[in-house]
Amino acid sequence: MAARRGLSVRIRLIAIALLPTVLVLPLLLLLVVGWWASGFDRLLIVKVNGDLTIARQYLERLKERSDETLHALGDSIAFARILEAGDGAATRRFLAGRRAELGFDFLHLVGEGGRLAVGDEDEPGLTLPPHRVVAGALAGRAGTEIDIMAADELARVAPGSEERARIDLVDTPNAVPTDRVAETRGMVILSAVPVRLPGGTPGALAGGRLLNQNLDFIDTMNDLVYKDASLPEGSRGTATLFLDDVRISTNVRLFEGQRALGTRVSAAVRRAVLDEGRIWLDRAFVVNDWYISAYEPIADGGGRRIGMLYVGFLEKPFRLQKLAFVAAVVAAFLVVAALSIPVFLRWARAIFSPIERMDATIEQVEAGDLGARTGHVANRDEIGRLAHHFDGLLDSLQARDRELREWAEELDRRVDLRTRELRAANQRLAETQQQLVMSEKLAAIGEITAGVAHEINNPVAVIQGNLDVAREILGAAADPVGTEFALIDEQVHRIDLIVGKLLQFARPAEFAESSGAYRPADVITDSLLLVRHSFARAEVEIRRRDLAAGWIAMNRTDLQQVLINLFVNAIHAMPDGGTLSIATQDTTGRDGPAVSITVSDTGLGIEPDTLPRIFDAFFTTKARQGTGLGLSISYSLVSQAGGTITATSSLGFGSVFTVQLPSEDPVRSALGAIADI
């Protein structure tokens, strides 16, 4: 115990001494490094966003240069003289020469309806596809847009370009599944300016540059965005132009020396950029490695998103630099801890050594040596003064101990007296509890006795019906003794049945009888015969539906008693007549197959507040017609048979009682009965 206490003091003091070094400082470093890493990542995102801005400006500059070049050509004197000469062959040669000089993949003079004003001799009447830019130029508005041309369109306007536009698709992990094997469309920077054709008719000068596999374009963009020494050693910048989600022009390498043309962007990027129109600024897996990436959608003149522009740089060198920084911080922390912890431990030892001496003194005092003292402590600080005061307190404690012993003896005498008083009180409490239990038992017996005095209506219902038949048959011959006969017979049967029911309710196990399996429909038929006169007198229509194929093994008399009780209650609930529906069907109970018997009426129904109490003993809503034992006895009989009885009711529309009993195999039941014999 002493060793544990000394160790505990030492550990706590050492923990206090080392807390700033081993806990606070690491947490602070963790927060600082985390904040720095988060800021570092944000700087990378800011950089790639700036790179994307440069790439976008370069693409816009290409469009502007295409528009300016075409305007200059359309306004040139040489072009005006060619048109004035009206020589178709010379015009074609002039446009072909200017197309190569100006960097266009096609350059055409277009007339009304998109028809080439200077057509090919081999294909007279050739028309340019009706794009928005061309239609606008014919209407007098110059413009430049990025547009998509199908392979047949490319073949018409620039024969051979359809082959350069075709890119075989490469199976790419994480991309949206597709059945296509190649991208045959072309992304084109299309420009058109209005001109006047010979005769003063409006025309347009249209030129386009195909961006598919345009490696000079993408390499120039990459060199412009990622100049030499703009990235750390080991990193590299990349730029890509997408048609839809397919790389049609890129400097991303699939293998050494092979560009990743035909690979596709991941489904997540496609959904964010193409489907939702957002700019993606985050790390992304590009072909075969992780890049800090920026994607933005490219739209045609109608605002439809047709592709993406991408720039990014390899993440790995930045990640390695971040890890190197974290490693340097951790190493610096370890060096500082190795130098400072011994100093802290030496200071802590000067504190916990006197405390351990005081702890040892306390243990001696606890062992009964009230003369134990800490003694002189060399420390002149708070610890030394504490040790001196502690010895003074021990002197006072020794003096008070004698006084406490005297008080303890007096207290023992008083406690002994109180204990004897409490024992007597506990004995009286136990006797009172026994009397209370006996009172509860007597109260329960009183309730049962009251039930015997009031139980009359349900058991007399069947007997009354048969006595009515007897009087009808005897007629006038029964008149002289009719009153005495009815009174004696009724009271004898009433007393006999009421007592039997009370005993069966109190001790149902003593009245249980073994019975073989039987069909519930047979018991329903027998029960209806016993109360048929009550139904006839009350003008109640009976409807039956026997669908159950299963057998049950509940005591037949008990089930008959339950059904008769439900039938009689239904009659009382329909004073003006009504319909009593009885149905059986096979169901599934808690322990397996079961048979349910449903008894429903169209009577007055039961109040919602009353419904939860109808199975309580002696609870009744018929103050002059019942004692409240019928349903409680029925509940007990059904529960004893392993079944359940439930009730639902709708005020003014009637009640439904459902008896569910376990289904029994008649063959197995018969064998069990033989075994009991």
Side-chain angles (χ1 to χ4, degrees), residues 34-49 292 322:
W35 173 80
W36 174 83
S38 177
F40 186 82
D41 293 338
R42 287 195 299 269
L43 286 177
L44 294 181
I45 296 302
V46 170
K47 172 175 172 49
V48 79
N49 188 29
I292 304 298
K322 186 161 58 174

mmCIF file of all heavy atoms in Angstrom, residues 34-49 292 322:
data_model
loop_
_atom_site.group_PDB
_atom_site.id
_atom_site.type_symbol
_atom_site.label_atom_id
_atom_site.label_comp_id
_atom_site.label_asym_id
_atom_site.label_seq_id
_atom_site.Cartn_x
_atom_site.Cartn_y
_atom_site.Cartn_z
ATOM 1 N N GLY A 34 -1.139 20.866 -38.501
ATOM 2 C CA GLY A 34 -2.401 20.686 -39.217
ATOM 3 C C GLY A 34 -2.843 21.955 -39.915
ATOM 4 O O GLY A 34 -3.301 21.920 -41.061
ATOM 5 N N TRP A 35 -2.723 23.098 -39.193
ATOM 6 C CA TRP A 35 -3.086 24.378 -39.817
ATOM 7 C C TRP A 35 -2.178 24.666 -40.999
ATOM 8 O O TRP A 35 -2.641 25.117 -42.048
ATOM 9 C CB TRP A 35 -2.962 25.468 -38.765
ATOM 10 C CG TRP A 35 -3.151 26.853 -39.330
ATOM 11 C CD1 TRP A 35 -4.317 27.478 -39.622
ATOM 12 C CD2 TRP A 35 -2.108 27.779 -39.681
ATOM 13 N NE1 TRP A 35 -4.084 28.723 -40.129
ATOM 14 C CE2 TRP A 35 -2.734 28.942 -40.185
ATOM 15 C CE3 TRP A 35 -0.717 27.733 -39.617
ATOM 16 C CZ2 TRP A 35 -2.005 30.049 -40.613
ATOM 17 C CZ3 TRP A 35 0.003 28.833 -40.050
ATOM 18 C CH2 TRP A 35 -0.641 29.976 -40.540
ATOM 19 N N TRP A 36 -0.866 24.400 -40.830
ATOM 20 C CA TRP A 36 0.063 24.649 -41.942
ATOM 21 C C TRP A 36 -0.248 23.740 -43.125
ATOM 22 O O TRP A 36 -0.237 24.190 -44.288
ATOM 23 C CB TRP A 36 1.497 24.407 -41.467
ATOM 24 C CG TRP A 36 2.501 24.491 -42.589
ATOM 25 C CD1 TRP A 36 3.081 25.600 -43.115
ATOM 26 C CD2 TRP A 36 3.005 23.378 -43.344
ATOM 27 N NE1 TRP A 36 3.928 25.271 -44.146
ATOM 28 C CE2 TRP A 36 3.900 23.915 -44.313
ATOM 29 C CE3 TRP A 36 2.797 22.009 -43.300
ATOM 30 C CZ2 TRP A 36 4.575 23.103 -45.215
ATOM 31 C CZ3 TRP A 36 3.472 21.200 -44.199
ATOM 32 C CH2 TRP A 36 4.353 21.743 -45.156
ATOM 33 N N ALA A 37 -0.523 22.446 -42.845
ATOM 34 C CA ALA A 37 -0.821 21.509 -43.936
ATOM 35 C C ALA A 37 -2.088 21.920 -44.668
ATOM 36 O O ALA A 37 -2.168 21.851 -45.904
ATOM 37 C CB ALA A 37 -0.961 20.087 -43.383
ATOM 38 N N SER A 38 -3.111 22.360 -43.885
ATOM 39 C CA SER A 38 -4.344 22.817 -44.526
ATOM 40 C C SER A 38 -4.083 24.049 -45.384
ATOM 41 O O SER A 38 -4.573 24.159 -46.516
ATOM 42 C CB SER A 38 -5.391 23.116 -43.453
ATOM 43 O OG SER A 38 -6.564 23.625 -44.040
ATOM 44 N N GLY A 39 -3.282 24.992 -44.837
ATOM 45 C CA GLY A 39 -2.943 26.170 -45.636
ATOM 46 C C GLY A 39 -2.107 25.822 -46.853
ATOM 47 O O GLY A 39 -2.274 26.417 -47.932
ATOM 48 N N PHE A 40 -1.212 24.842 -46.701
ATOM 49 C CA PHE A 40 -0.396 24.396 -47.828
ATOM 50 C C PHE A 40 -1.279 23.830 -48.940
ATOM 51 O O PHE A 40 -1.098 24.140 -50.130
ATOM 52 C CB PHE A 40 0.594 23.335 -47.328
ATOM 53 C CG PHE A 40 1.588 22.891 -48.359
ATOM 54 C CD1 PHE A 40 2.733 23.624 -48.622
ATOM 55 C CD2 PHE A 40 1.372 21.720 -49.079
ATOM 56 C CE1 PHE A 40 3.650 23.210 -49.580
ATOM 57 C CE2 PHE A 40 2.275 21.293 -50.042
ATOM 58 C CZ PHE A 40 3.425 22.044 -50.287
ATOM 59 N N ASP A 41 -2.266 23.002 -48.530
ATOM 60 C CA ASP A 41 -3.178 22.440 -49.523
ATOM 61 C C ASP A 41 -4.002 23.533 -50.191
ATOM 62 O O ASP A 41 -4.259 23.480 -51.404
ATOM 63 C CB ASP A 41 -4.110 21.414 -48.865
ATOM 64 C CG ASP A 41 -3.355 20.182 -48.387
ATOM 65 O OD1 ASP A 41 -2.253 19.924 -48.916
ATOM 66 O OD2 ASP A 41 -3.868 19.483 -47.496
ATOM 67 N N ARG A 42 -4.412 24.539 -49.386
ATOM 68 C CA ARG A 42 -5.175 25.639 -49.989
ATOM 69 C C ARG A 42 -4.327 26.422 -50.985
ATOM 70 O O ARG A 42 -4.820 26.871 -52.027
ATOM 71 C CB ARG A 42 -5.696 26.569 -48.891
ATOM 72 C CG ARG A 42 -6.841 25.988 -48.086
ATOM 73 C CD ARG A 42 -7.560 27.074 -47.282
ATOM 74 N NE ARG A 42 -6.657 27.704 -46.329
ATOM 75 C CZ ARG A 42 -6.480 27.292 -45.087
ATOM 76 N NH1 ARG A 42 -7.110 26.215 -44.655
ATOM 77 N NH2 ARG A 42 -5.661 27.932 -44.267
ATOM 78 N N LEU A 43 -3.050 26.586 -50.678
ATOM 79 C CA LEU A 43 -2.171 27.283 -51.623
ATOM 80 C C LEU A 43 -2.046 26.507 -52.929
ATOM 81 O O LEU A 43 -1.992 27.105 -54.019
ATOM 82 C CB LEU A 43 -0.791 27.478 -50.984
ATOM 83 C CG LEU A 43 -0.689 28.546 -49.893
ATOM 84 C CD1 LEU A 43 0.708 28.574 -49.297
ATOM 85 C CD2 LEU A 43 -1.053 29.924 -50.463
ATOM 86 N N LEU A 44 -1.980 25.170 -52.818
ATOM 87 C CA LEU A 44 -1.914 24.364 -54.041
ATOM 88 C C LEU A 44 -3.172 24.554 -54.886
ATOM 89 O O LEU A 44 -3.105 24.648 -56.115
ATOM 90 C CB LEU A 44 -1.731 22.885 -53.675
ATOM 91 C CG LEU A 44 -0.406 22.501 -53.008
ATOM 92 C CD1 LEU A 44 -0.366 21.008 -52.723
ATOM 93 C CD2 LEU A 44 0.783 22.901 -53.882
ATOM 94 N N ILE A 45 -4.348 24.609 -54.172
ATOM 95 C CA ILE A 45 -5.597 24.810 -54.908
ATOM 96 C C ILE A 45 -5.616 26.200 -55.540
ATOM 97 O O ILE A 45 -6.059 26.378 -56.685
ATOM 98 C CB ILE A 45 -6.797 24.620 -53.958
ATOM 99 C CG1 ILE A 45 -6.852 23.175 -53.446
ATOM 100 C CG2 ILE A 45 -8.096 24.956 -54.671
ATOM 101 C CD1 ILE A 45 -6.946 22.129 -54.523
ATOM 102 N N VAL A 46 -5.120 27.200 -54.790
ATOM 103 C CA VAL A 46 -5.071 28.558 -55.353
ATOM 104 C C VAL A 46 -4.160 28.586 -56.578
ATOM 105 O O VAL A 46 -4.479 29.220 -57.597
ATOM 106 C CB VAL A 46 -4.582 29.548 -54.274
ATOM 107 C CG1 VAL A 46 -4.283 30.915 -54.891
ATOM 108 C CG2 VAL A 46 -5.617 29.683 -53.173
ATOM 109 N N LYS A 47 -3.023 27.882 -56.495
ATOM 110 C CA LYS A 47 -2.097 27.866 -57.634
ATOM 111 C C LYS A 47 -2.734 27.224 -58.851
ATOM 112 O O LYS A 47 -2.658 27.764 -59.965
ATOM 113 C CB LYS A 47 -0.814 27.127 -57.261
ATOM 114 C CG LYS A 47 0.109 26.913 -58.471
ATOM 115 C CD LYS A 47 1.409 26.296 -58.114
ATOM 116 C CE LYS A 47 2.206 25.915 -59.365
ATOM 117 N NZ LYS A 47 2.288 26.995 -60.346
ATOM 118 N N VAL A 48 -3.380 26.050 -58.645
ATOM 119 C CA VAL A 48 -3.947 25.371 -59.807
ATOM 120 C C VAL A 48 -5.115 26.164 -60.375
ATOM 121 O O VAL A 48 -5.379 26.129 -61.583
ATOM 122 C CB VAL A 48 -4.367 23.929 -59.427
ATOM 123 C CG1 VAL A 48 -5.686 23.890 -58.680
ATOM 124 C CG2 VAL A 48 -4.452 23.047 -60.673
ATOM 125 N N ASN A 49 -5.809 26.924 -59.511
ATOM 126 C CA ASN A 49 -6.879 27.783 -60.013
ATOM 127 C C ASN A 49 -6.292 28.901 -60.869
ATOM 128 O O ASN A 49 -6.850 29.266 -61.916
ATOM 129 C CB ASN A 49 -7.665 28.354 -58.833
ATOM 130 C CG ASN A 49 -8.900 29.095 -59.285
ATOM 131 O OD1 ASN A 49 -9.489 28.794 -60.318
ATOM 132 N ND2 ASN A 49 -9.299 30.091 -58.511
ATOM 133 N N ILE A 292 -2.827 17.550 -58.505
ATOM 134 C CA ILE A 292 -3.633 18.684 -58.062
ATOM 135 C C ILE A 292 -4.280 19.242 -59.320
ATOM 136 O O ILE A 292 -3.581 19.753 -60.208
ATOM 137 C CB ILE A 292 -2.781 19.743 -57.349
ATOM 138 C CG1 ILE A 292 -2.023 19.111 -56.178
ATOM 139 C CG2 ILE A 292 -3.647 20.888 -56.867
ATOM 140 C CD1 ILE A 292 -2.924 18.525 -55.106
ATOM 141 N N LYS A 322 5.810 18.119 -47.865
ATOM 142 C CA LYS A 322 5.004 18.283 -46.656
ATOM 143 C C LYS A 322 5.422 17.270 -45.591
ATOM 144 O O LYS A 322 5.556 17.612 -44.411
ATOM 145 C CB LYS A 322 3.524 18.128 -47.017
ATOM 146 C CG LYS A 322 2.588 18.414 -45.870
ATOM 147 C CD LYS A 322 1.176 18.714 -46.357
ATOM 148 C CE LYS A 322 0.603 17.573 -47.165
ATOM 149 N NZ LYS A 322 -0.808 17.811 -47.508
#
